[in-house]
Amino acid sequence: MGFSLTRSLPNLISLARLVLVPAIISMISAQRWKEASVVFVVAGVSDALDGWIARSFNLRSELGAYLDPLADKALIVSIYVTLAIVGVLPATIAIIVVARDAMIVGAFMISWFLDKPVEVRPLLISKLNTLVQLTCAALVLGAKAFDVATGAWLGPLIYLVAALSLASLGAYFNGWIRHMSV
């Protein structure tokens, strides 16, 4: 089966999102907030777009099942770590976001090494978590880009990101523990 641009479109969009990650990180590091904000929104929209195209036109693929979440995680983890490094977000939230993803990937790898692979399937809580994480990052970048005070909304939003990240981790671990017969 050869390469088909149409069949590969969702995967190409995911790859483009991966390519945007270093650009966004570079812009944040240089405090080019408006550019970082615009490119981040483009990356976020690409996440919705590739999924919609794959579902609507039955273009799902095994590669896409891995590539899309990899692009999401690269974007989210990189953004949270970079925003913490430049002092815009507390390090604690970056640690929670990174630790959640590292633990889930670690569990999947252990399953694979033990020849009991877990099906890659996002949970509803995980989709909500990703949406809130992306929204928080977009709002923070937008606030920096347009010099808007984060004031009263940032604290509760960070707590929501932390709570959803931990709830999502718990849901994945619960399924993983049952799958592994621990």
Side-chain angles (χ1 to χ4, degrees):
M1 182 176 228
F3 173 79
S4 163
L5 180 60
T6 305
R7 287 224 40 87
S8 301
L9 188 57
N11 294 340
L12 293 173
I13 293 170
S14 292
L15 283 171
R17 188 164 60 257
L18 270 171
V19 170
L20 291 177
V21 171
I24 296 167
I25 300 315
S26 176
M27 290 172 197
I28 292 171
S29 298
Q31 297 187 3
R32 292 175 37 211
W33 299 110
K34 286 184 181 166
E35 295 95 333
S37 213
V38 168
V39 176
F40 182 78
V41 168
V42 167
V45 168
S46 80
D47 182 29
L49 183 62
D50 67 5
W52 177 80
I53 290 171
R55 283 186 306 279
S56 297
F57 300 100
N58 196 26
L59 297 176
R60 292 184 185 114
S61 68
E62 185 178 1
L63 176 60
Y66 291 96
L67 197 55
D68 180 60
L70 174 65
D72 291 346
K73 295 309 145 198
L75 178 65
I76 290 170
V77 165
S78 298
I79 290 292
Y80 277 81
V81 168
T82 306
L83 288 173
I85 288 171
V86 299
V88 174
L89 287 177
T92 307
I93 194 62
I95 291 167
I96 290 170
V97 167
V98 171
R100 174 207 173 264
D101 289 341
M103 286 187 242
I104 291 171
V105 168
F108 275 88
M109 289 177 65
I110 289 169
S111 302
W112 187 72
F113 285 131
L114 295 176
D115 205 24
K116 292 181 83 171
V118 177
E119 181 183 346
V120 177
R121 202 171 32 95
L123 304 174
L124 181 59
I125 185 73
S126 176
K127 289 180 180 185
L128 180 60
N129 180 50
T130 298
L131 175 65
V132 172
Q133 287 177 340
L134 289 171
T135 300
C136 178
L139 289 172
V140 167
L141 286 171
K144 292 299 284 180
F146 298 102
D147 202 26
V148 174
T150 54
W153 60 266
L154 184 58
L157 187 55
I158 288 172
Y159 281 112
L160 181 60
V161 168
L164 286 172
S165 296
L166 295 172
S168 173
L169 175 62
Y172 273 114
F173 267 0
N174 181 42
W176 181 78
I177 286 169
R178 282 191 307 221
H179 175 79
M180 297 300 290
S181 303
V182 174

